[in-house]
Amino acid sequence: MISESNLPGELYPQYTTVEYSLSNPGAVPDVAAPQSIPPVFLFVLDTCMIEEELGFVKSALKRAIGLLPENALVGFVSFGTQVQVHELGFSEISKVYVFRGSKEISKDQVLEQLGLGGAGRRAVGGYPKGVQNGYASSGVTRFLLPASDCEYTLNSLLDELQTDQWPVQPGHRALRCTGVALSVAAGLLGACLPGTGARIIALVGGPCTEGPGTIVSKDLSDPVRSHKDLDKDAAPYFKKAVQFYENIAKQMVSQGHVLDLFASALDQVGVAEMKVVVERTGGLVVLAESFGHSVFKDSFKRIFEEGEQSLGLSFNGTLEINCSKDIKIQGIIGPCTSLEKKGPSVADTVIGEGSTTSWKMCGLDKTTCLTVFFDISSSERSNPPGTSNPQLYLQFIVSYQNPEGQTRLRVTTVTRRWVDSAVSSEELVQGFDQETAAVVMARLTSLKMETEEGFDATRWLDRSLIRLCSKFGDYRKDDPASFTLNPCFSLFPQFMFNLRRSQFVQVFNNSPDETAYFRMLLNRENIPNTAVMIQPSLISYSFNSLPAPALLDVASISADRILLLDSYFSVVIFHGMTIAQWRNMGYQNQPEHQAFAQLLQAPQDDAKLIIHDRFPVPRLVVCDQHGSQARFLLAKLNPSATYNNAHEMATGSDVIFTDDVSLQVFFEHLQRLAVQS
């Protein structure tokens, strides 16, 4: 009974979000089947690698299979020059279906050859009619088995699995048909019941050189494409491969399935081409140098962990947005796909995945974070927004299957007042979120760099910042010294300074694969994580003070300090010169120097905490001042001391050899340009 004293949660103004539990649309009411549909994990393993690497990846797979929920269905595909689909349900001998790696193959051909076509799909494998593990008795249960039933079969299969035996000529790359393997895997999952949450987990150890999706020729003298090649249109395989993966993305989105990519190799493997599938299906991506590296091993384990450490991997999400009639939706940047659902609130201009009010999110997790762009310009209306109604509302409706397989509906509704910024901008200023604004700028810049030809990111960011400072700064015209910024904006210029220098804007020195990897994570992680990608955090440890945040500046380096830098993808522990010398002499092992031992240990403990909670697991770099790996720290610091002004330096500090402007110079220029009449 609803009354004044007993209101449902929806009617409390402070509850913006309500989550509902729904009964599953796919469940068959009369059959005693579990309410939840078990998730499917299809492992796709590259075998074109050296014995040692294959050994690392096999042990990671065995550990993962042991961690899977008992009811989860598991399938296994291996590939090298050809693709092998392993029939796990045939336990007497190992039975394999082989597909040629050199030619494209459609979903129907895959199902036909696996005996899952129209005729073969009816009742294969002698199962009783009806439902088997929540599955209609399609023959797909020959290839996908509950983890508890096939753990032994899979482990023995992995023990026998060898590296690809196809001969490789000297001076040539191995023949690797990644593209065909992924389309065969997507085709096999197409035989699952609609509404099943399924992930293809691809473990790739090198570039695709055979069949569709090829990114480089077989000849080792041809290097894999670089950013320069892409800019000059000198990457002959790139566009064709992206087109191929776009088609796979369409197929997987229509099936509601996810592609997770684990790439470990010293050379590029084609992440830049496969980005479209991973991003549109909401998959995870991890790039490492070797399958033996902790970046791969610990990240891979995290996917399957439960409890506190769980990533909360969910399936089959859809997002719908409703809003006031003065607001139009331009699009979304992030891991989703437009469902092309037109409506009056769709804007004419498109940013990212647009032209719709509804999006598919095949995979989502605890930290998934989308950027939605709205258009409030009153071009076709005579009245400015807010004249008829001073309130506006936005509503986000997300339905998804949680990790346990239950369907949830989460509704978030927010309302705000329209403010006429010509009259007073005070309310707008108070509502400005600097970190979020920096992340939105970073995502928009990355998108423009990928989609607009000849886009000059640095100039665009500078212009946007100058406009913001001109509008919201306090100053007298043409007097830079009088310029001040409200505290609500004071950190934003510093974020922009670091964004201009970050790997998202300065792609020099990174491969297209690395850039694609960084941008995919930038586009999907939550605000605290992405803010650290743009502007790393720095903590200083010394004898005479507690650990404290330090300025991200070369002046923070001192001979008797340890610095801990967190730049999201790597965590750096940097020992000053004196500390490193004492450590090398072994002072920390002497009982009278307990304090020194504790000082060395403190940043190690803090680094462990950062690494423990993060996905993908960051790379840990432990280095000393003037050592070769110190570059991981120096590249991120503000170059307030360079070789130009080295004479003014304190002893024990450091210089950065660069012609980049420092934050101080950047600010001076900004003030001068913002106050110009």
Side-chain angles (χ1 to χ4, degrees), residues 318-332:
T318 53
L319 164 66
E320 201 175 318
I321 301 179
N322 300 320
C323 50
S324 303
K325 68 176 197 302
D326 290 339
I327 302 174
K328 302 274 184 266
I329 304 162
Q330 291 177 313
I332 291 184

Side-chain angles (χ1 to χ4, degrees), residues 47-52 54 58 161-166:
T47 57
C48 290
M49 43 178 120
I50 55 172
E51 279 293 339
E52 186 188 22
L54 192 63
K58 279 181 183 178
L161 194 69
Q162 293 177 305
T163 55
D164 192 49
Q165 298 302 299
W166 202 266

